[in-house]
Amino acid sequence: MSGFAHCCMAVLLLWWCFASSMVKGSRSRSRRSWIWNQFFVIEEYAGPEPVLIGRLHTDMDRNDGRTKYVLRGEGAGSVFVIDEKTGNIHVTKPLDREEKDEYRLIATATDRQTDRALEPSSQFIIRVQDINDNPPIFDEGPYSATVPEMANIGTSIIQVTATDADDPTYGNSAKLVYTLVQGQQYFSVDPQTGILRTAVPDMDRETQDQFLVVLQAKDMGGHLGGLSGTTTVTVRLTDVNDNPPRFTQSMWSFSVSELAIPGAEIGRISATDADLGENAKLEYTILEGESIFMKKCGRGGFFAVDYESRSSYSFSVEVLNPIVDPRFLRRGPFKDRASIRVAVLDADEPPRFSRTRYHMDVSENCPPACTVGRVSAVDPDTGLTNNIRFSIDPQSDPEALFRITPDTGLITTAMELDREREHWHNITVIATQRGQSQLILSVGFNELYNPSQVSRVLIAIETLDLNDNAPELDRQYNTAMCDSSSIGQVVQVLRAIDRDEGGNDSTVYFSIPPESSAALNFSVRDSASLVLLSQIQPLSRSPSSTLTLYVPLVLRDGTSGLTSTGTVTVSVCPCLKGGAEAVCLPQQSTLPSPGLSTAALLAILACVATLLAVSALSLSLRRQKRDSLSPLEEDDVRENIITYDDEGGGEADTAAFDIAALQSAPVMGFGANWVPGMEVARGPPGPGGPSLALRVGEFLRLRLAQVTFDPSQPPYDSVQVYGLEGTGSRAGSLSSLESEGEKDSEKEDWGVGLEEWGPQFQKLAQLFKDREKEREDKEKVDEGAKKEREMNEEPEKKVKKDGGVRAGEEGKD
């Protein structure tokens, strides 16, 4: 055991004796008679035997061996042990205050025989007393910091902090002092706070930009015997603009060919600046007013050099920092100058046109070889013009509208130009220079030219306008008017256009030839309005009654007198109401529906009429057979025609035709796509000849064609009734009561959609509706009788059904 440890133990024992005497002396004042309630143990102490740290004792102990001391709590039995008889407490192993600085235990004194507590249990604390066993530690090191170069003395850089795990409340074990181990000549550190500062005023980044500083922290207030820890700080100097720019040389020489285009690079000058970033940014300037270069170029501009004009240029340039730190102006101006000399090299230059772009004009309709203009070029090396030949780039004039004289540059037209076709012509003229250093040979009439010395120029040729176009109608006029229009009514307002430049500003006069004006009943008034001259005979109210008139017009230019002709198509039609504001009736026979031609519309109407006629005829024959049960003869076809005039009365006017015949008639067809001369298909009846449906269809189509094209036939709005009579045939009949076609026809609603065809078909549509209602009522009455007849005629029905199906298929074909 060391002397220090013995000393500590002696102090503890003396403290214990003093405390014991105090407890005994004051026993009457304490309910509890414990001798001790707090003990101390020095950390990290280790001996060969357990170390006595204190003793527990109670006044109830008569020293007769009956008192038993028991220890419970943190570390009891392992770290701390107690003598049951004497109450002495020992520590069995070294303790670390930084790991745990106190232990709380509970002591109990009991009667060894009865195991009864002599006094209530009491808690006490064993404290671990600190020793200086932990060095300072820089938890955040190593450090990195920056400071501007040329910073003043004492400029703060960074603060470092070390920690000591020892008890800061006990002695100087955790009292730290900071010192510099390395970098004392440039930096200093505050011993109490650890702030690192600059120690010199002129640290130059361009000389040394980085420093490694070693710092130490020592406990025990820095006294001898204390523990220490170190860390490093890497200090980097940041740049400031403390260095002016300098050209790498004071005189520069360059050369450039006179063929160099404006903006071509001649050479590069360079300057250096020891600073970094924005502090090293350089701006170059040509000093104004010191050379002819500036007069031509201007600051930052470009110009073309010409050896024949000047062979060299001299001027000065300056480099400077746009950003300057005023603190360092004492070091001198932050700019530098250098001299530049540029030599212009002579070269064989291509021809030079007198202009960079030409604008010429020529009148339209000018005969070929009309002069347009002239171009000129010169040899810049010799100043001559007779060694240059001109030509037109074929790609710029693909139609060969222009020619150019090779020697003189005179441009002429090769054909007449039309301004209304093309206003501007852009051609490219090529100037080729004859070689100076080559032997000039003559081959026929062609001289050898240097193809490398070529110049081009753009010629914009404007075609000037002449008043050579007569006015024209601005569009194709197609107008309609009612046949009941009044005299003097304006039929159409006319407008004209003139393709000449400014031609629309001149007055245009419209007129109708006298012979046409009287014949067509039209005239032009106010120079722009087509009006009705005399009353037109009213047309029939039939939708097909449309009169188309073609009115010729003469248009005359009031300035030039040029004339042209045009035509206005006027369709005169009957109207629903009289007067100019009336609307024309639909022209079903002449005006096709949108998207369909007239022939297509007629074909569609004819097909619809034929299908309706055949279907209605089949239905009528079936009903006749059902009513009379007498067979139809297929070979006898009879035509019944009933007509009425549309000028007659209305719905009550029924005397002109037979209502009974009309009610049993198939649907009529209007319009046609057939030609006269069609004949009904002929042939013997039966399987080898045409069927009834085919014969009826051909018959109807023939009658429809006759009505359409024969002028002697009744008009379109007359009722055409066709009947079919005759005996039946065992080969099959369209009137078979049980045919599949008949079953399908029973499901169809005849006459549906006829109302949409117009007022002409309203009567027919009503007849179909009445007939359909009569058929439904009769079928309800005869439904029972029909079933009975079908049972009796089962064998005969099967034969008729087969024949009807075949006839129906042939009719569909």
Side-chain angles (χ1 to χ4, degrees):
M1 181 180 294
S2 65
F4 177 74
H6 282 288
C7 181
C8 291
M9 290 299 299
V11 173
L12 288 174
L13 288 175
L14 289 174
W15 191 8
W16 175 73
C17 293
F18 174 75
S20 298
S21 62
M22 290 296 294
V23 171
K24 290 179 180 179
S26 59
R27 181 181 302 173
S28 60
R29 291 178 297 174
S30 175
R31 188 181 69 84
R32 182 166 298 167
S33 53
W34 288 113
I35 304 301
W36 201 254
N37 65 355
Q38 181 171 267
F39 301 99
F40 293 90
V41 60
I42 299 175
E43 68 170 333
E44 303 296 342
Y45 175 75
E49 294 179 359
V51 179
L52 177 64
I53 61 173
R55 180 184 180 186
L56 297 176
H57 188 73
T58 178
D59 292 344
M60 304 300 293
D61 188 354
R62 305 301 179 183
N63 293 324
D64 55 3
R66 293 187 60 178
T67 302
K68 177 182 177 182
Y69 294 94
V70 180
L71 188 65
R72 295 180 290 109
E74 297 176 337
S78 57
V79 179
F80 305 100
V81 294
I82 189 170
D83 190 328
E84 295 180 350
K85 294 180 179 181
T86 64
N88 292 333
I89 301 175
H90 296 79
V91 61
T92 62
K93 61 180 181 180
L95 302 180
D96 187 0
R97 189 201 68 85
E98 286 72 37
E99 180 178 346
K100 189 172 179 63
D101 62 348
E102 67 178 18
Y103 295 85
R104 295 182 180 273
L105 295 98
I106 299 175
T108 305
T110 61
D111 189 316
R112 188 181 299 276
Q113 295 180 354
T114 63
D115 203 22
R116 181 179 60 84
L118 300 179
E119 285 191 12
S121 300
S122 179
Q123 179 178 339
F124 66 95
I125 299 173
I126 298 177
R127 298 188 183 278
V128 182
Q129 194 158 354
D130 181 59
I131 63 173
N132 189 16
D133 60 341
N134 290 280
I137 297 176
F138 292 93
D139 295 325
E140 298 180 2
Y143 297 87
S144 179
T146 60
V147 63
E149 63 173 332
M150 300 297 173
N152 296 326
I153 296 176
T155 301
S156 176
I157 301 175
I158 192 174
Q159 182 179 15
V160 297
T161 303
T163 59
D164 195 316
D166 293 323
D167 190 357
T169 64
Y170 181 77
N172 293 328
S173 298
K175 186 177 181 180
L176 305 180
V177 174
Y178 298 95
T179 58
L180 276 176
V181 179
Q182 178 180 317
Q184 298 90 334
Q185 66 272 36
Y186 299 107
F187 305 97
S188 64
V189 64
D190 188 306
Q192 304 302 324
T193 62
I195 297 177
L196 184 66
R197 303 177 185 275
T198 58
V200 294
D202 297 324
M203 286 190 295
D204 189 4
R205 186 200 63 80
E206 288 74 31
T207 302
Q208 183 177 350
D209 62 350
Q210 182 173 300
F211 298 87
L212 182 63
V213 180
V214 180
L215 286 169
Q216 182 188 69
K218 191 174 183 179
D219 60 12
M220 297 299 292
H223 294 116
L224 184 64
L227 302 179
S228 64
T230 60
T231 188
T232 60
V233 180
T234 302
V235 180
R236 293 181 176 86
L237 300 182
T238 58
D239 184 66
V240 297
N241 192 6
D242 58 338
N243 294 279
R246 292 290 181 262
F247 278 109
T248 56
Q249 58 190 67
S250 60
M251 179 66 187
W252 302 81
S253 297
F254 303 102
S255 60
V256 60
S257 172
E258 65 175 337
L259 298 182
I261 62 175
E265 182 177 319
I266 299 174
R268 289 179 180 266
I269 57 176
S270 61
T272 60
D273 191 321
D275 296 320
L276 299 176
E278 289 292 324
N279 296 323
K281 185 176 180 181
L282 304 178
E283 286 186 359
Y284 297 91
T285 306
I286 298 174
L287 295 182
E288 189 171 358
E290 293 190 4
S291 69
I292 193 174
F293 180 83
M294 283 304 304
K295 295 179 181 178
K296 290 190 175 180
C297 174
R299 187 179 299 272
F302 303 102
F303 76 103
V305 295
D306 184 11
Y307 175 81
E308 287 72 27
S309 300
R310 185 166 183 176
S311 61
S312 66
Y313 297 88
S314 297
F315 51 91
S316 297
V317 293
E318 184 179 73
V319 62
L320 55 83
N321 287 141
I323 302 175
V324 178
D325 193 332
R327 296 178 299 168
F328 307 107
L329 289 177
R330 65 183 185 276
R331 297 182 173 225
F334 280 74
K335 56 186 176 181
D336 194 16
R337 289 187 180 185
S339 299
I340 308 293
R341 183 180 184 277
V342 179
V344 181
L345 304 179
D346 187 24
D348 188 11
E349 301 179 73
R352 184 179 300 167
F353 283 97
S354 60
R355 300 180 187 175
T356 58
R357 181 185 177 93
Y358 289 87
H359 173 255
M360 302 178 181
D361 55 62
V362 62
S363 298
E364 67 174 331
N365 303 332
C366 187
C370 184
T371 300
V372 178
R374 186 188 302 272
V375 296
S376 61
V378 64
D379 183 352
D381 297 317
T382 62
L384 301 177
T385 59
N386 55 3
N387 61 340
I388 298 174
R389 291 179 64 88
F390 301 96
S391 61
I392 296 177
D393 187 350
Q395 294 183 354
S396 66
D397 186 20
E399 298 180 359
L401 301 177
F402 303 94
R403 294 192 182 99
I404 189 170
T405 305
D407 296 330
T408 63
L410 180 64
I411 301 175
T412 59
T413 58
M415 59 183 64
E416 291 186 3
L417 303 180
D418 186 1
R419 191 202 68 87
E420 287 70 39
R421 179 183 177 188
E422 192 168 2
H423 187 192
W424 287 93
H425 301 273
N426 295 313
I427 65 174
T428 300
V429 173
I430 302 173
T432 306
Q433 177 183 319
R434 187 164 49 195
Q436 299 297 317
S437 60
Q438 300 177 359
L439 177 63
I440 300 176
L441 302 178
S442 296
V443 182
F445 295 98
N446 297 325
E447 293 182 341
L448 295 181
Y449 283 79
N450 186 358
S452 63
Q453 301 301 326
V454 172
S455 297
R456 296 172 179 267
V457 70
L458 180 64
I459 313 295
I461 302 175
E462 181 182 8
T463 306
L464 301 180
D465 182 61
L466 295 178
N467 195 351
D468 58 343
N469 289 277
E472 302 173 353
L473 290 176
D474 64 338
R475 58 186 173 88
Q476 181 66 39
Y477 285 95
N478 290 279
T479 185
M481 62 172 265
C482 296
D483 56 359
S484 58
S485 299
S486 60
I487 298 175
Q489 177 180 329
V490 176
V491 178
Q492 179 66 53
V493 178
L494 306 174
R495 291 182 176 85
I497 57 174
D498 193 327
R499 294 189 298 164
D500 291 322
E501 185 176 8
N504 293 326
D505 297 334
S506 61
T507 304
V508 178
Y509 297 95
F510 299 84
S511 62
I512 302 176
E515 63 278 6
S516 300
S517 176
L520 297 175
N521 298 329
F522 291 100
S523 65
V524 178
R525 295 179 183 175
D526 300 329
S527 301
S529 299
L530 181 65
V531 301
L532 184 62
L533 184 61
S534 61
Q535 186 69 37
I536 296 179
Q537 182 66 27
L539 303 176
S540 171
R541 292 298 178 183
S542 171
S544 63
S545 301
T546 299
L547 177 63
T548 301
L549 302 176
Y550 300 96
V551 181
L553 294 175
V554 177
L555 292 79
R556 181 173 58 85
D557 189 337
T559 302
S560 64
L562 297 175
T563 62
S564 66
T565 60
T567 302
V568 177
T569 302
V570 180
S571 298
V572 183
C573 57
C575 299
L576 295 177
K577 298 179 180 179
E581 300 298 329
V583 179
C584 293
L585 288 171
Q587 305 297 311
Q588 295 182 2
S589 61
T590 59
L591 296 177
S593 60
L596 296 176
S597 63
T598 303
L601 182 62
L602 292 176
I604 292 173
L605 292 176
C607 293
V608 171
T610 302
L611 291 175
L612 291 176
V614 172
S615 301
L617 180 61
S618 176
L619 180 62
S620 176
L621 294 178
R622 181 181 61 81
R623 291 169 181 166
Q624 292 179 10
K625 181 174 183 180
R626 183 182 303 171
D627 296 339
S628 62
L629 295 178
S630 61
L632 295 175
E633 287 297 330
E634 184 176 321
D635 299 330
D636 186 11
V637 179
R638 186 184 65 181
E639 173 188 1
N640 293 327
I641 302 178
I642 304 177
T643 65
Y644 72 95
D645 191 281
D646 65 341
E647 298 296 334
E651 295 181 357
D653 188 8
T654 58
F657 53 89
D658 186 0
I659 289 294
L662 180 61
Q663 291 178 345
S664 62
V667 69
M668 296 80 68
F670 290 89
N673 194 20
W674 319 102
V675 297
M678 295 177 59
E679 296 182 358
V680 178
R682 302 181 181 277
S691 64
L692 176 61
L694 180 61
R695 296 177 63 193
V696 171
E698 293 294 337
F699 170 74
L700 293 176
R701 282 192 289 272
L702 176 60
R703 296 300 301 147
L704 183 61
Q706 291 177 353
V707 172
T708 302
F709 296 100
D710 190 354
S712 61
Q713 294 291 329
Y716 284 105
D717 54 356
S718 298
V719 178
Q720 306 290 333
V721 180
Y722 306 101
L724 181 63
E725 297 180 357
T727 59
S729 172
R730 290 188 176 273
S733 172
L734 288 176
S735 61
S736 176
L737 295 177
E738 300 299 329
S739 65
E740 292 296 330
E742 185 178 79
K743 291 181 180 180
D744 295 338
S745 64
E746 291 177 356
K747 302 177 183 178
E748 296 177 1
D749 189 5
W750 297 99
V752 174
L754 289 177
E755 297 88 346
E756 300 176 0
W757 289 16
Q760 299 89 340
F761 295 92
Q762 291 180 357
K763 184 73 174 180
L764 182 61
Q766 185 62 39
L767 292 176
F768 274 111
K769 290 181 180 179
D770 297 340
R771 187 63 176 175
E772 185 65 17
K773 186 175 183 304
E774 178 183 354
R775 181 184 65 81
E776 291 176 356
D777 295 338
K778 186 175 181 181
E779 285 180 353
K780 291 179 181 179
V781 176
D782 297 337
E783 184 176 2
K786 177 180 178 181
K787 292 182 180 180
E788 182 178 357
R789 287 197 300 272
E790 287 177 352
M791 293 178 61
N792 297 333
E793 298 175 358
E794 185 68 22
E796 181 180 359
K797 182 180 68 174
K798 179 175 180 63
V799 175
K800 292 184 178 181
K801 179 179 181 181
D802 294 340
V805 170
R806 289 194 299 270
E809 294 176 349
E810 293 176 355
K812 293 179 181 179
D813 294 338

